Amino acid sequence: MRHDSSIVEFQRKRGGDSAAFFVPFLASDMILLDAGCGPGTITAALAGIVGTAVGVDIEPHAIVAADRLASTSGLTNLAFVEADMTALPFGDETFDAVFFHAVLYHQDGAALTRTLAEARRVLKPGGVIGTRDADVGGNILHPELDGVRLALDLWQRWYEHDDPEALLFGRRQSSLLRARGFTPIWSSAGYVNHSADATSRSEAVADARRSLLGLGPQLVSKGLATDGEIQAALAGWDAWGADPDAVYFRCRCECVARKD
């Protein structure tokens, strides 16, 4: 999975709502692992529910931000470790719960298998795994401007999905977990609303511009995009943000499974 500081910055706005579906399966005496924790906002929210919460991320920028959050949060049961989720630095059966938010979707088949094998290894018998990830087939966008569609495509190019079904990852989480030794016990879906009001639309445009400007030179240097495409994508988001009736609801599918 590729990482970039602009993506980490975008992830800062994730919060407790992203893990709300998992909360009913947690208890105050649990030790929880948030794999691919980014800047740690979800990990911190979960630390208020469980006994101990540990976040891991391979991106140093993310761990720096997460450590800063931990030092100012006042939480004493929160820790972050720079690590690869395909080779976790923890012993067998260490955690009662493992959580993945918006990370599995980006992995190819081999990396996904390694990641979930590691999650199963560090999870205690009877422990739970929660996953929440994207499914572009459920996204709702209006108006469907070419520039915004191009921007969404540019982000997909950045992750270089080899499997076209990766874009529909969210709806397949249950079957993917079952195939890797877990027993799914709950599933649902929700939306991230980027257009609740004028302020949220403005923030969505600012986030999109920051990401495109940060990734643009790297996309161009790797031959994944042209300067013209980057500019067209930026213009598309500007036009979308100027429409007072514009909407963008990003679909997230959710699944909870158990290690029997």
Side-chain angles (χ1 to χ4, degrees):
M1 176 180 172
R2 287 180 171 165
H3 292 76
D4 182 87
S5 59
S6 62
I7 294 174
V8 172
E9 177 64 25
F10 184 83
Q11 290 174 328
R12 287 179 188 273
K13 296 184 179 180
R14 302 183 308 176
D17 288 349
S18 299
F21 76 97
F22 200 35
V23 171
F25 300 90
L26 304 178
S28 60
D29 60 346
M30 284 184 168
I31 304 173
L32 177 141
L33 175 66
D34 181 10
C37 65
T41 51
I42 292 178
T43 325
L46 291 171
I49 298 166
V50 299
T52 301
V54 180
V56 299
D57 203 289
I58 198 172
E59 169 56 56
H61 293 292
I63 295 301
V64 168
D67 283 338
R68 188 181 305 118
L69 173 63
S71 66
T72 59
S73 67
L75 295 167
T76 59
N77 64 335
L78 176 64
F80 295 99
V81 178
E82 183 180 331
D84 185 342
M85 68 179 71
T86 67
L88 293 170
F90 307 110
D92 296 354
E93 301 180 2
T94 298
F95 298 95
D96 300 287
V98 177
F99 184 69
F100 293 95
H101 181 270
V103 291
L104 299 179
Y105 157 76
H106 298 300
Q107 296 185 325
D108 62 27
L112 178 64
T113 295
R114 292 196 302 271
T115 294
L116 292 178
E118 278 293 272
R120 197 171 193 283
R121 179 183 67 79
V122 302
L123 193 61
K124 296 176 182 178
V128 289
I129 178 172
T131 63
R132 186 174 193 255
D133 232 314
D135 192 308
V136 300
N139 290 347
I140 298 174
L141 178 67
H142 173 79
E144 294 196 22
L145 301 175
D146 289 342
V148 177
R149 286 292 183 191
L150 174 59
L152 300 179
D153 180 58
L154 291 175
W155 286 316
Q156 300 308 324
R157 296 181 201 177
W158 173 252
Y159 289 111
E160 292 184 333
H161 291 302
D162 294 323
D163 178 6
E165 287 202 351
L167 302 180
L168 304 177
F169 182 89
R171 68 189 66 184
R172 298 186 293 123
Q173 289 175 107
S174 178
S175 61
L176 291 169
L177 288 171
R178 190 184 302 279
R180 288 162 175 83
F182 298 95
T183 301
I185 56 177
W186 187 90
S187 63
S188 186
Y191 283 91
V192 180
N193 186 355
H194 295 286
S195 52
D197 51 28
T199 298
S200 59
R201 278 189 292 272
S202 178
E203 290 176 349
V205 172
D207 284 336
R209 290 188 61 85
R210 186 183 302 112
S211 178
L212 287 166
L213 290 171
L215 294 178
Q218 299 170 76
L219 283 163
V220 172
S221 69
K222 294 179 181 296
L224 299 173
T226 65
D227 286 320
E229 286 180 314
I230 302 299
Q231 294 306 312
L234 289 166
W237 274 107
D238 288 340
W240 179 88
D243 186 336
D245 299 315
V247 298
Y248 178 31
F249 306 140
R250 189 168 45 146
C251 181
R252 295 291 193 189
C253 296
E254 303 155 346
C255 185
V256 179
R258 193 177 303 280
K259 174 182 174 179
D260 294 329

